[in-house]
Amino acid sequence: MKNKVLKAIFPVAGLGTRFLPATKSIPKEILSLVDKPLIQYAIDEARDAGIKEFIFVTSRGKGALEDYFDGAPQLELALRRQNKMELLKILRKTTMESGEIAYIRQRDPKGLGHAVWCARRLIGNEPFAVLLPDDVIAGDAPCLQQMTEAFAETGGNIIAAMEVPPAQASSYGLMDVASAKGPLLTLKGMVEKPESGSAPSNIAAIGRYILTPQIMKNLNQKMIGAGGEIQLTDAIAAEISRGGAVYGYKFSGTRYDCGSKAGFLKATVAFGLAREDLRDEFGAFLDEVAAERQKQQDIAV
Ligand code: UTP
Protein backbone atom coordinates (compact mmCIF):
# COMPACT_ATOMS: atom_id res chain seq x y z
CA MET A 1 0.00 0.00 0.00
CA LYS A 2 1.12 3.53 -0.76
CA ASN A 3 2.35 5.68 2.16
CA LYS A 4 2.32 3.11 4.95
CA VAL A 5 3.66 3.86 8.44
CA LEU A 6 5.17 0.90 10.28
CA LYS A 7 7.47 2.51 12.85
CA ALA A 8 6.61 4.70 15.81
CA ILE A 9 8.75 6.67 18.24
CA PHE A 10 7.60 7.17 21.83
CA PRO A 11 9.71 9.92 23.41
CA VAL A 12 9.63 9.18 27.14
CA ALA A 13 12.93 10.64 28.29
CA GLY A 14 11.55 13.84 29.86
CA LEU A 15 11.95 14.55 33.57
CA GLY A 16 8.22 14.74 34.33
CA THR A 17 8.79 17.55 36.85
CA ARG A 18 5.11 18.47 37.01
CA PHE A 19 4.40 15.17 38.75
CA LEU A 20 7.13 15.31 41.38
CA PRO A 21 7.52 13.72 43.85
CA ALA A 22 5.68 10.78 42.18
CA THR A 23 8.08 10.88 39.23
CA LYS A 24 11.14 10.76 41.47
CA SER A 25 11.09 6.98 41.15
CA ILE A 26 8.17 6.20 38.78
CA PRO A 27 8.27 7.21 35.11
CA LYS A 28 5.37 9.53 34.29
CA GLU A 29 4.24 7.15 31.54
CA ILE A 30 3.55 4.41 34.11
CA LEU A 31 1.02 6.60 35.94
CA SER A 32 -2.37 5.01 35.29
CA LEU A 33 -5.83 6.12 34.29
CA VAL A 34 -7.94 3.80 36.44
CA ASP A 35 -5.75 0.69 35.98
CA LYS A 36 -3.98 1.16 32.65
CA PRO A 37 -0.67 3.06 32.37
CA LEU A 38 -0.53 6.06 30.03
CA ILE A 39 2.02 4.26 27.86
CA GLN A 40 -0.38 1.36 27.26
CA TYR A 41 -3.00 3.72 25.79
CA ALA A 42 -0.38 5.00 23.34
CA ILE A 43 0.82 1.49 22.42
CA ASP A 44 -2.74 0.26 21.84
CA GLU A 45 -3.45 3.27 19.63
CA ALA A 46 -0.28 2.70 17.61
CA ARG A 47 -1.07 -1.00 17.15
CA ASP A 48 -4.58 -0.15 15.96
CA ALA A 49 -3.00 2.16 13.37
CA GLY A 50 -0.87 -0.68 11.98
CA ILE A 51 2.46 0.12 13.70
CA LYS A 52 4.81 -2.89 13.84
CA GLU A 53 7.99 -1.43 15.37
CA PHE A 54 7.88 0.46 18.66
CA ILE A 55 10.87 2.64 19.47
CA PHE A 56 11.18 4.14 22.94
CA VAL A 57 13.51 7.05 23.62
CA THR A 58 14.26 6.64 27.31
CA SER A 59 16.63 8.00 29.94
CA ARG A 60 17.97 7.27 33.40
CA GLY A 61 15.30 6.13 35.85
CA LYS A 62 12.94 4.62 33.26
CA GLY A 63 13.69 0.99 34.18
CA ALA A 64 10.11 0.36 35.35
CA LEU A 65 8.90 1.31 31.89
CA GLU A 66 11.21 -1.17 30.18
CA ASP A 67 10.20 -3.95 32.60
CA TYR A 68 6.51 -3.23 32.02
CA PHE A 69 6.67 -4.72 28.51
CA ASP A 70 8.39 -7.95 29.56
CA GLY A 71 6.55 -11.22 30.05
CA ALA A 72 5.57 -11.99 33.66
CA PRO A 73 5.62 -15.82 33.85
CA GLN A 74 5.12 -16.08 37.63
CA LEU A 75 2.20 -13.69 37.62
CA GLU A 76 0.67 -15.48 34.64
CA LEU A 77 0.99 -18.84 36.40
CA ALA A 78 -0.66 -17.47 39.53
CA LEU A 79 -3.58 -16.03 37.52
CA ARG A 80 -4.04 -19.31 35.67
CA ARG A 81 -4.05 -21.25 38.96
CA GLN A 82 -6.69 -18.86 40.31
CA ASN A 83 -8.65 -19.22 37.06
CA LYS A 84 -8.56 -15.44 36.51
CA MET A 85 -8.59 -15.81 32.73
CA GLU A 86 -9.86 -12.30 31.95
CA LEU A 87 -6.98 -10.75 33.86
CA LEU A 88 -4.56 -13.15 32.20
CA LYS A 89 -5.77 -11.94 28.80
CA ILE A 90 -5.30 -8.28 29.80
CA LEU A 91 -1.82 -9.03 31.16
CA ARG A 92 -0.77 -10.87 27.99
CA LYS A 93 -1.76 -7.85 25.90
CA THR A 94 0.91 -5.79 27.68
CA THR A 95 3.76 -8.09 26.66
CA MET A 96 5.66 -7.05 23.54
CA GLU A 97 7.01 -9.65 21.13
CA SER A 98 10.78 -10.08 21.00
CA GLY A 99 12.20 -7.72 18.42
CA GLU A 100 9.17 -5.46 18.01
CA ILE A 101 10.35 -3.04 20.69
CA ALA A 102 13.60 -1.08 20.87
CA TYR A 103 15.00 1.28 23.48
CA ILE A 104 17.28 4.16 22.61
CA ARG A 105 18.83 6.37 25.23
CA GLN A 106 18.66 10.17 25.25
CA ARG A 107 21.63 11.13 27.37
CA ASP A 108 20.47 14.65 28.29
CA PRO A 109 16.89 15.97 28.12
CA LYS A 110 17.57 18.49 25.36
CA GLY A 111 14.00 18.66 24.12
CA LEU A 112 11.41 16.73 22.14
CA GLY A 113 13.15 17.34 18.79
CA HIS A 114 16.39 15.97 20.19
CA ALA A 115 14.59 12.93 21.64
CA VAL A 116 13.09 12.12 18.22
CA TRP A 117 16.47 12.64 16.54
CA CYS A 118 18.02 10.05 18.90
CA ALA A 119 16.01 7.37 17.01
CA ARG A 120 17.25 8.40 13.54
CA ARG A 121 19.26 5.24 12.83
CA LEU A 122 16.32 2.99 13.66
CA ILE A 123 14.04 5.02 11.41
CA GLY A 124 16.32 5.03 8.38
CA ASN A 125 14.61 6.23 5.22
CA GLU A 126 10.97 5.56 6.16
CA PRO A 127 8.05 7.69 7.30
CA PHE A 128 7.41 7.31 11.02
CA ALA A 129 4.88 8.19 13.69
CA VAL A 130 5.62 10.00 16.95
CA LEU A 131 3.25 9.54 19.90
CA LEU A 132 3.51 11.48 23.15
CA PRO A 133 1.94 9.27 25.82
CA ASP A 134 1.00 12.39 27.87
CA ASP A 135 -1.71 13.10 25.35
CA VAL A 136 -4.45 10.53 25.76
CA ILE A 137 -7.13 10.75 23.08
CA ALA A 138 -10.49 9.07 23.55
CA GLY A 139 -12.88 8.54 20.68
CA ASP A 140 -14.46 6.01 18.36
CA ALA A 141 -11.63 5.86 15.82
CA PRO A 142 -8.11 5.99 17.35
CA CYS A 143 -6.45 9.32 16.50
CA LEU A 144 -3.33 7.86 14.87
CA GLN A 145 -5.48 5.60 12.72
CA GLN A 146 -7.41 8.63 11.44
CA MET A 147 -4.05 10.18 10.59
CA THR A 148 -2.54 7.10 8.89
CA GLU A 149 -5.66 6.90 6.72
CA ALA A 150 -5.20 10.53 5.69
CA PHE A 151 -1.47 9.91 5.14
CA ALA A 152 -2.21 7.00 2.80
CA GLU A 153 -3.83 9.59 0.51
CA THR A 154 -1.59 12.63 0.98
CA GLY A 155 1.88 11.52 2.09
CA GLY A 156 3.93 14.40 3.52
CA ASN A 157 3.95 15.29 7.20
CA ILE A 158 0.76 15.23 9.28
CA ILE A 159 0.39 16.66 12.78
CA ALA A 160 -2.66 16.22 15.03
CA ALA A 161 -4.38 19.59 15.39
CA MET A 162 -6.83 20.98 17.92
CA GLU A 163 -8.23 24.40 18.77
CA VAL A 164 -7.17 25.54 22.23
CA PRO A 165 -8.44 28.51 24.28
CA PRO A 166 -6.45 31.61 23.16
CA ALA A 167 -5.28 32.19 26.76
CA GLN A 168 -3.52 28.79 26.71
CA ALA A 169 -2.20 29.00 23.16
CA SER A 170 1.30 30.17 24.08
CA SER A 171 2.10 26.87 25.79
CA TYR A 172 1.71 24.92 22.52
CA GLY A 173 3.24 24.62 19.07
CA LEU A 174 0.82 26.63 16.92
CA MET A 175 -0.12 26.28 13.27
CA ASP A 176 -0.26 28.93 10.57
CA VAL A 177 -2.97 27.60 8.26
CA ALA A 178 -2.92 28.35 4.52
CA SER A 179 -6.07 26.41 3.60
CA ALA A 180 -8.43 23.75 4.90
CA LYS A 181 -10.14 20.80 3.24
CA GLY A 182 -12.31 18.89 5.71
CA PRO A 183 -10.11 17.91 8.66
CA LEU A 184 -6.91 18.44 6.66
CA LEU A 185 -5.17 21.82 7.05
CA THR A 186 -2.36 22.84 4.73
CA LEU A 187 0.20 24.71 6.82
CA LYS A 188 2.35 27.65 5.82
CA GLY A 189 4.15 27.92 9.13
CA MET A 190 4.49 26.62 12.68
CA VAL A 191 5.83 28.24 15.81
CA GLU A 192 6.61 26.73 19.22
CA LYS A 193 5.30 28.53 22.30
CA PRO A 194 5.04 32.00 20.75
CA GLU A 195 4.95 35.05 23.00
CA SER A 196 1.40 36.15 23.68
CA GLY A 197 0.07 38.36 20.91
CA SER A 198 2.25 36.80 18.22
CA ALA A 199 0.45 33.46 17.80
CA PRO A 200 -0.47 32.69 14.15
CA SER A 201 -3.69 30.96 15.33
CA ASN A 202 -5.07 29.05 18.29
CA ILE A 203 -4.77 25.74 16.42
CA ALA A 204 -2.27 23.72 18.40
CA ALA A 205 -0.13 20.69 17.63
CA ILE A 206 -1.11 17.71 19.80
CA GLY A 207 1.16 14.76 20.53
CA ARG A 208 0.59 12.65 17.42
CA TYR A 209 2.72 13.10 14.31
CA ILE A 210 3.41 11.30 11.05
CA LEU A 211 6.72 12.54 9.71
CA THR A 212 8.97 12.02 6.73
CA PRO A 213 12.65 11.05 7.13
CA GLN A 214 13.59 14.55 5.97
CA ILE A 215 12.53 15.78 9.43
CA MET A 216 15.45 13.78 10.89
CA LYS A 217 17.77 15.59 8.49
CA ASN A 218 16.31 18.93 9.59
CA LEU A 219 16.91 17.89 13.21
CA ASN A 220 20.59 17.29 12.34
CA GLN A 221 20.93 21.09 12.43
CA LYS A 222 20.24 20.94 16.19
CA MET A 223 18.58 24.35 16.19
CA ILE A 224 18.00 25.60 19.73
CA GLY A 225 14.46 26.90 20.07
CA ALA A 226 11.88 27.88 22.68
CA GLY A 227 12.94 27.19 26.28
CA GLY A 228 16.54 26.53 25.15
CA GLU A 229 15.44 23.11 23.82
CA ILE A 230 15.74 21.44 20.42
CA GLN A 231 12.14 21.61 19.26
CA LEU A 232 10.37 19.21 16.91
CA THR A 233 8.15 22.13 15.82
CA ASP A 234 11.21 24.01 14.49
CA ALA A 235 12.26 21.03 12.34
CA ILE A 236 8.72 20.86 10.94
CA ALA A 237 8.66 24.62 10.32
CA ALA A 238 11.99 24.23 8.46
CA GLU A 239 10.31 21.60 6.30
CA ILE A 240 7.57 24.06 5.35
CA SER A 241 10.25 26.62 4.42
CA ARG A 242 11.97 23.99 2.22
CA GLY A 243 8.67 23.55 0.36
CA GLY A 244 7.80 20.20 1.94
CA ALA A 245 4.14 19.23 2.43
CA VAL A 246 3.01 19.72 6.04
CA TYR A 247 -0.58 19.27 7.17
CA GLY A 248 -2.49 19.69 10.38
CA TYR A 249 -5.20 17.09 10.96
CA LYS A 250 -8.25 18.01 13.03
CA PHE A 251 -8.87 14.61 14.58
CA SER A 252 -12.19 13.61 16.06
CA GLY A 253 -12.00 12.60 19.71
CA THR A 254 -11.39 14.12 23.12
CA ARG A 255 -7.83 14.86 24.11
CA TYR A 256 -6.68 14.84 27.73
CA ASP A 257 -3.42 16.54 28.65
CA CYS A 258 -2.19 13.95 31.13
CA GLY A 259 1.15 15.77 31.43
CA SER A 260 -0.63 18.31 33.65
CA LYS A 261 -2.19 17.52 37.01
CA ALA A 262 -5.61 18.98 36.16
CA GLY A 263 -5.67 17.16 32.80
CA PHE A 264 -4.71 13.90 34.46
CA LEU A 265 -7.52 14.27 37.03
CA LYS A 266 -10.07 15.08 34.31
CA ALA A 267 -9.00 11.99 32.36
CA THR A 268 -9.25 9.84 35.48
CA VAL A 269 -12.85 10.99 36.02
CA ALA A 270 -13.80 10.52 32.36
CA PHE A 271 -12.22 7.07 32.08
CA GLY A 272 -13.64 6.02 35.46
CA LEU A 273 -17.16 7.00 34.38
CA ALA A 274 -16.71 5.20 31.05
CA ARG A 275 -16.07 1.92 32.86
CA GLU A 276 -19.11 -0.26 33.32
CA ASP A 277 -17.72 -1.88 36.46
CA LEU A 278 -17.16 1.51 38.15
CA ARG A 279 -19.76 3.80 36.65
CA ASP A 280 -22.50 3.40 39.29
CA GLU A 281 -20.41 3.63 42.45
CA PHE A 282 -18.01 6.27 41.12
CA GLY A 283 -20.80 8.30 39.47
CA ALA A 284 -22.84 8.38 42.71
CA PHE A 285 -19.75 9.57 44.58
CA LEU A 286 -19.15 12.36 42.05
CA ASP A 287 -22.79 13.46 42.40
CA GLU A 288 -22.31 13.69 46.18
CA VAL A 289 -19.11 15.69 45.75
CA ALA A 290 -20.79 18.05 43.28
CA ALA A 291 -23.79 18.56 45.60
CA GLU A 292 -21.49 19.27 48.56
CA ARG A 293 -19.46 21.72 46.48
CA GLN A 294 -22.64 23.52 45.41
CA LYS A 295 -23.75 23.74 49.05
CA GLN A 296 -20.44 25.32 50.08
CA GLN A 297 -20.67 27.80 47.21
CA ASP A 298 -24.26 28.77 48.17
CA ILE A 299 -23.16 29.37 51.78
CA ALA A 300 -20.25 31.53 50.60
CA VAL A 301 -22.52 33.82 48.54
P1 UTP B 1 7.16 17.58 28.38
O1 UTP B 1 7.28 18.94 27.83
O2 UTP B 1 5.85 17.18 28.93
O3 UTP B 1 8.30 17.42 29.47
O4 UTP B 1 7.63 16.58 27.25
P2 UTP B 1 8.43 16.33 30.61
O5 UTP B 1 9.83 16.32 31.08
O6 UTP B 1 7.89 15.00 30.18
O7 UTP B 1 7.46 16.84 31.78
P3 UTP B 1 7.53 18.14 32.72
O8 UTP B 1 7.16 19.32 31.83
O9 UTP B 1 8.89 18.26 33.32
O10 UTP B 1 6.48 17.86 33.77
C1 UTP B 1 6.76 16.11 26.23
C2 UTP B 1 7.19 14.72 25.82
O11 UTP B 1 8.51 14.76 25.28
C3 UTP B 1 9.37 13.87 25.97
C4 UTP B 1 8.70 13.65 27.33
O12 UTP B 1 9.08 12.41 27.88
C5 UTP B 1 7.22 13.72 26.96
O13 UTP B 1 6.75 12.48 26.45
N1 UTP B 1 10.71 14.47 26.08
C6 UTP B 1 10.83 15.80 26.38
C7 UTP B 1 11.84 13.71 25.86
O14 UTP B 1 11.76 12.50 25.58
N2 UTP B 1 13.06 14.30 25.95
C8 UTP B 1 13.21 15.61 26.25
O15 UTP B 1 14.36 16.09 26.30
C9 UTP B 1 12.06 16.37 26.47
Short mmCIF file of all heavy atoms in Angstrom, two decimals, residues 12-43:
data_model
loop_
_atom_site.label_atom_id
_atom_site.label_comp_id
_atom_site.label_asym_id
_atom_site.label_seq_id
_atom_site.Cartn_x
_atom_site.Cartn_y
_atom_site.Cartn_z
N VAL A 12 10.02 9.27 25.73
CA VAL A 12 9.63 9.18 27.14
C VAL A 12 10.83 9.49 28.05
O VAL A 12 10.94 8.95 29.14
CB VAL A 12 9.04 7.78 27.48
CG1 VAL A 12 7.69 7.60 26.80
CG2 VAL A 12 9.98 6.65 27.08
N ALA A 13 11.71 10.37 27.55
CA ALA A 13 12.93 10.64 28.29
C ALA A 13 12.84 11.92 29.13
O ALA A 13 13.80 12.29 29.79
CB ALA A 13 14.11 10.75 27.32
N GLY A 14 11.68 12.58 29.11
CA GLY A 14 11.55 13.84 29.86
C GLY A 14 11.61 13.60 31.36
O GLY A 14 11.50 12.46 31.83
N LEU A 15 11.77 14.67 32.12
CA LEU A 15 11.95 14.55 33.57
C LEU A 15 10.62 14.42 34.31
O LEU A 15 10.59 13.96 35.45
CB LEU A 15 12.72 15.77 34.10
CG LEU A 15 14.15 15.94 33.56
CD1 LEU A 15 14.75 17.26 34.05
CD2 LEU A 15 15.03 14.77 33.97
N GLY A 16 9.55 14.85 33.68
CA GLY A 16 8.22 14.74 34.33
C GLY A 16 8.14 15.56 35.61
O GLY A 16 7.54 15.12 36.60
N THR A 17 8.70 16.76 35.60
CA THR A 17 8.79 17.55 36.85
C THR A 17 7.43 17.95 37.39
O THR A 17 7.28 18.16 38.59
CB THR A 17 9.63 18.83 36.63
OG1 THR A 17 9.08 19.54 35.51
CG2 THR A 17 11.08 18.52 36.36
N ARG A 18 6.41 18.03 36.51
CA ARG A 18 5.11 18.47 37.01
C ARG A 18 4.44 17.42 37.90
O ARG A 18 3.45 17.71 38.55
CB ARG A 18 4.19 18.84 35.83
CG ARG A 18 4.52 20.21 35.25
CD ARG A 18 3.75 20.48 34.00
NE ARG A 18 4.25 19.68 32.87
CZ ARG A 18 3.67 19.62 31.69
NH1 ARG A 18 2.57 20.29 31.46
NH2 ARG A 18 4.20 18.88 30.72
N PHE A 19 4.99 16.21 37.90
CA PHE A 19 4.40 15.17 38.75
C PHE A 19 5.33 14.75 39.88
O PHE A 19 5.15 13.68 40.46
CB PHE A 19 3.98 13.96 37.91
CG PHE A 19 2.66 14.17 37.23
CD1 PHE A 19 2.61 14.70 35.96
CD2 PHE A 19 1.48 13.88 37.88
CE1 PHE A 19 1.40 14.93 35.33
CE2 PHE A 19 0.25 14.10 37.27
CZ PHE A 19 0.21 14.63 36.00
N LEU A 20 6.30 15.60 40.21
CA LEU A 20 7.13 15.31 41.38
C LEU A 20 6.28 15.49 42.64
O LEU A 20 5.39 16.34 42.65
CB LEU A 20 8.34 16.27 41.41
CG LEU A 20 9.48 15.88 40.47
CD1 LEU A 20 10.51 17.00 40.38
CD2 LEU A 20 10.13 14.57 40.91
N PRO A 21 6.46 14.71 43.69
CA PRO A 21 7.52 13.72 43.85
C PRO A 21 7.23 12.36 43.24
O PRO A 21 8.10 11.50 43.24
CB PRO A 21 7.66 13.62 45.37
CG PRO A 21 6.29 13.90 45.88
CD PRO A 21 5.70 14.90 44.94
N ALA A 22 6.00 12.13 42.70
CA ALA A 22 5.68 10.78 42.18
C ALA A 22 6.74 10.32 41.17
O ALA A 22 7.18 9.17 41.18
CB ALA A 22 4.31 10.78 41.53
N THR A 23 7.17 11.25 40.31
CA THR A 23 8.08 10.88 39.23
C THR A 23 9.55 10.82 39.66
O THR A 23 10.42 10.66 38.83
CB THR A 23 7.91 11.85 38.05
OG1 THR A 23 7.86 13.18 38.57
CG2 THR A 23 6.64 11.58 37.28
N LYS A 24 9.77 10.93 40.97
CA LYS A 24 11.14 10.76 41.47
C LYS A 24 11.60 9.32 41.19
O LYS A 24 12.74 9.08 40.84
CB LYS A 24 11.16 11.06 42.97
CG LYS A 24 12.53 11.11 43.57
CD LYS A 24 12.40 11.47 45.05
CE LYS A 24 13.72 11.17 45.76
NZ LYS A 24 13.50 11.01 47.20
N SER A 25 10.68 8.37 41.38
CA SER A 25 11.09 6.98 41.15
C SER A 25 10.18 6.25 40.15
O SER A 25 10.50 5.15 39.73
CB SER A 25 11.11 6.21 42.47
OG SER A 25 9.81 6.10 42.98
N ILE A 26 9.06 6.86 39.75
CA ILE A 26 8.17 6.20 38.78
C ILE A 26 8.14 7.02 37.49
O ILE A 26 7.88 8.22 37.55
CB ILE A 26 6.72 6.13 39.30
CG1 ILE A 26 6.65 5.40 40.63
CG2 ILE A 26 5.79 5.43 38.29
CD1 ILE A 26 5.31 5.56 41.31
N PRO A 27 8.40 6.42 36.34
CA PRO A 27 8.27 7.21 35.11
C PRO A 27 6.83 7.71 34.95
O PRO A 27 5.87 6.99 35.28
CB PRO A 27 8.59 6.19 34.00
CG PRO A 27 9.26 5.05 34.68
CD PRO A 27 8.79 5.03 36.09
N LYS A 28 6.70 8.94 34.46
CA LYS A 28 5.37 9.53 34.29
C LYS A 28 4.45 8.62 33.47
O LYS A 28 3.26 8.51 33.72
CB LYS A 28 5.55 10.88 33.60
CG LYS A 28 4.28 11.61 33.29
CD LYS A 28 4.54 13.03 32.81
CE LYS A 28 5.27 13.10 31.48
NZ LYS A 28 5.36 14.49 30.97
N GLU A 29 5.03 7.95 32.49
CA GLU A 29 4.24 7.15 31.54
C GLU A 29 3.65 5.90 32.17
O GLU A 29 2.81 5.23 31.59
CB GLU A 29 5.11 6.75 30.35
CG GLU A 29 5.68 7.91 29.57
CD GLU A 29 6.82 8.65 30.26
OE1 GLU A 29 7.46 8.08 31.17
OE2 GLU A 29 7.06 9.82 29.90
N ILE A 30 4.11 5.57 33.40
CA ILE A 30 3.55 4.41 34.11
C ILE A 30 2.35 4.83 34.98
O ILE A 30 1.57 4.00 35.41
CB ILE A 30 4.65 3.73 34.97
CG1 ILE A 30 5.69 3.05 34.08
CG2 ILE A 30 4.11 2.73 35.96
CD1 ILE A 30 5.19 1.81 33.38
N LEU A 31 2.21 6.14 35.21
CA LEU A 31 1.02 6.60 35.94
C LEU A 31 -0.22 6.11 35.18
O LEU A 31 -0.22 6.07 33.96
CB LEU A 31 1.00 8.13 36.03
CG LEU A 31 2.16 8.80 36.77
CD1 LEU A 31 2.01 10.31 36.73
CD2 LEU A 31 2.26 8.31 38.20
N SER A 32 -1.25 5.72 35.93
CA SER A 32 -2.37 5.01 35.29
C SER A 32 -3.67 5.78 35.35
O SER A 32 -3.98 6.44 36.34
CB SER A 32 -2.58 3.66 35.98
OG SER A 32 -1.43 2.88 35.81
N LEU A 33 -4.44 5.68 34.29
CA LEU A 33 -5.83 6.12 34.29
C LEU A 33 -6.65 4.90 34.67
O LEU A 33 -6.68 3.92 33.92
CB LEU A 33 -6.25 6.61 32.91
CG LEU A 33 -5.52 7.87 32.40
CD1 LEU A 33 -5.97 8.22 31.00
CD2 LEU A 33 -5.74 9.04 33.34
N VAL A 34 -7.25 4.93 35.83
CA VAL A 34 -7.94 3.80 36.44
C VAL A 34 -6.91 2.67 36.69
O VAL A 34 -6.28 2.65 37.73
CB VAL A 34 -9.15 3.32 35.63
CG1 VAL A 34 -9.94 2.28 36.44
CG2 VAL A 34 -10.08 4.50 35.29
N ASP A 35 -6.70 1.78 35.74
CA ASP A 35 -5.75 0.69 35.98
C ASP A 35 -4.82 0.45 34.79
O ASP A 35 -4.15 -0.58 34.73
CB ASP A 35 -6.50 -0.60 36.35
CG ASP A 35 -7.62 -0.91 35.37
OD1 ASP A 35 -7.63 -0.30 34.28
OD2 ASP A 35 -8.48 -1.75 35.69
N LYS A 36 -4.80 1.37 33.85
CA LYS A 36 -3.98 1.16 32.65
C LYS A 36 -2.97 2.32 32.52
O LYS A 36 -3.38 3.48 32.48
CB LYS A 36 -4.91 1.09 31.43
CG LYS A 36 -4.25 0.61 30.17
CD LYS A 36 -5.31 0.07 29.21
CE LYS A 36 -5.42 0.92 27.97
NZ LYS A 36 -6.32 0.40 26.97
N PRO A 37 -1.67 1.99 32.45
CA PRO A 37 -0.67 3.06 32.37
C PRO A 37 -0.81 3.90 31.09
O PRO A 37 -1.22 3.37 30.04
CB PRO A 37 0.67 2.31 32.34
CG PRO A 37 0.37 0.95 32.85
CD PRO A 37 -1.06 0.66 32.53
N LEU A 38 -0.44 5.17 31.19
CA LEU A 38 -0.53 6.06 30.03
C LEU A 38 0.13 5.44 28.80
O LEU A 38 -0.39 5.51 27.69
CB LEU A 38 0.18 7.39 30.33
CG LEU A 38 -0.43 8.26 31.42
CD1 LEU A 38 0.39 9.54 31.58
CD2 LEU A 38 -1.88 8.59 31.11
N ILE A 39 1.28 4.79 29.01
CA ILE A 39 2.02 4.26 27.86
C ILE A 39 1.22 3.18 27.14
O ILE A 39 1.29 3.06 25.91
CB ILE A 39 3.41 3.72 28.29
CG1 ILE A 39 4.29 3.44 27.08
CG2 ILE A 39 3.31 2.50 29.18
CD1 ILE A 39 4.67 4.64 26.30
N GLN A 40 0.39 2.44 27.89
CA GLN A 40 -0.38 1.36 27.26
C GLN A 40 -1.45 1.93 26.32
O GLN A 40 -1.73 1.35 25.27
CB GLN A 40 -1.03 0.47 28.33
CG GLN A 40 -1.68 -0.78 27.78
CD GLN A 40 -0.67 -1.78 27.22
OE1 GLN A 40 0.28 -2.12 27.90
NE2 GLN A 40 -0.86 -2.22 25.98
N TYR A 41 -2.03 3.08 26.70
CA TYR A 41 -3.00 3.72 25.79
C TYR A 41 -2.32 4.07 24.47
O TYR A 41 -2.88 3.86 23.39
CB TYR A 41 -3.58 4.99 26.43
CG TYR A 41 -4.53 4.72 27.57
CD1 TYR A 41 -4.09 4.74 28.89
CD2 TYR A 41 -5.86 4.44 27.33
CE1 TYR A 41 -4.97 4.48 29.93
CE2 TYR A 41 -6.75 4.19 28.37
CZ TYR A 41 -6.29 4.20 29.68
OH TYR A 41 -7.16 3.94 30.71
N ALA A 42 -1.09 4.59 24.56
CA ALA A 42 -0.38 5.00 23.34
C ALA A 42 0.00 3.79 22.49
O ALA A 42 -0.12 3.80 21.26
CB ALA A 42 0.87 5.81 23.71
N ILE A 43 0.45 2.72 23.15
CA ILE A 43 0.82 1.49 22.42
C ILE A 43 -0.40 0.90 21.72
O ILE A 43 -0.35 0.53 20.54
CB ILE A 43 1.40 0.43 23.41
CG1 ILE A 43 2.71 0.91 23.98
CG2 ILE A 43 1.52 -0.93 22.76
CD1 ILE A 43 3.88 0.74 23.08
#
